[in-house]
Amino acid sequence: IRWIVDRGVRSGDIGLLTVLVPSPHNRAALKRKGFAVESYTRWLAGLFGVAGDVLITAGAFVLATRVLAGDPAAASGWFLIGVSTIIFAVVDAIVGFVLTPLAQAGGASASFLGVKQLFDTLFLLGTATFGAGAMLATLASAFGRGGAIARVLAVPAFVAGGVALATGAGSLGGVHLERFVGFGILGGSAIFTLIGLQIALSARRA
């Protein structure tokens, strides 16, 4: 908030939508006003990332409590997905609100490297936690009978979870799989978006 105020939003010099909507026109307007657009992009990613992480955490915990009695493994998976997004909330906060001020502060190189190492560690931990949760949450639907998730979605979600778990845990263990971490997160995020839509539509029909 202080960052926006300092840049003149409250005074009317810059419109709030110009800050929040990342279009080429708005980026050019911010450059003309003296914004560091790279810092702005990280701040925007952190802002929406943290907000999204909070919502996903709440949704995952709700789903976990709904399936707890009928499928303890799936409930554990949804709880782990919720825990992973708590970890990612810290990661997004570091990106959006911590790294840039540290990089700009004089003589803060050691602090910056420390926070960057924390960021990398938490990102890999969150990825591994998400992967384990995704596999547990979709196990029964992918390979059993009567699961709440359509098999056409559950199988690729299970595979994406396996990739996330292997790359995240492997990288934490010293195996250099960092370049493959994005496949599990990107694939899992896309598939779980569709799973969320399927669950929401099923609940409306019930």
Side-chain angles (χ1 to χ4, degrees):
I1 294 173
R2 187 181 65 185
W3 182 83
I4 300 175
V5 172
D6 289 346
R7 291 302 187 177
V9 171
R10 182 171 291 181
S11 67
D13 188 38
I14 299 173
L16 184 58
L17 288 179
T18 302
V19 174
L20 294 179
V21 180
S23 69
H25 173 77
N26 288 345
R27 288 170 66 91
L30 290 169
K31 282 186 176 181
R32 288 195 298 270
K33 294 293 184 179
F35 274 70
V37 174
E38 292 76 14
S39 300
Y40 150 72
T41 303
R42 284 191 291 270
W43 172 81
L44 193 63
L47 178 66
F48 284 101
V50 169
D53 292 332
V54 171
L55 292 175
I56 294 170
T57 299
F61 286 167
V62 168
L63 287 172
T65 58
R66 285 182 58 184
V67 301
L68 183 58
D71 190 347
S76 298
W78 286 112
F79 274 122
L80 283 174
I81 290 173
V83 170
S84 76
T85 51
I86 293 174
I87 296 172
F88 281 125
V90 179
V91 171
D92 289 330
I94 291 174
V95 170
F97 307 105
V98 179
L99 285 179
T100 297
L102 274 180
Q104 293 172 346
S109 57
S111 298
F112 179 85
L113 290 175
V115 173
K116 179 63 168 63
Q117 187 64 36
L118 176 64
F119 167 87
D120 292 340
T121 303
L122 289 177
F123 184 84
L124 294 174
L125 178 61
T127 299
T129 305
F130 168 78
M135 294 179 73
L136 286 172
T138 58
L139 179 63
S141 297
F143 304 108
R145 294 183 178 180
I149 302 170
R151 181 165 297 180
V152 69
L153 296 176
V155 171
F158 184 90
V159 173
V163 173
L165 175 59
T167 55
S171 298
L172 282 172
V175 182
H176 295 293
L177 299 172
E178 292 88 349
R179 68 180 65 184
F180 304 110
V181 167
F183 291 107
I185 289 296
L186 180 61
S189 298
I191 297 165
F192 270 89
T193 299
L194 298 176
I195 289 174
L197 290 173
Q198 183 227 309
I199 292 174
L201 291 174
S202 299
R204 290 188 64 180
R205 295 192 190 104

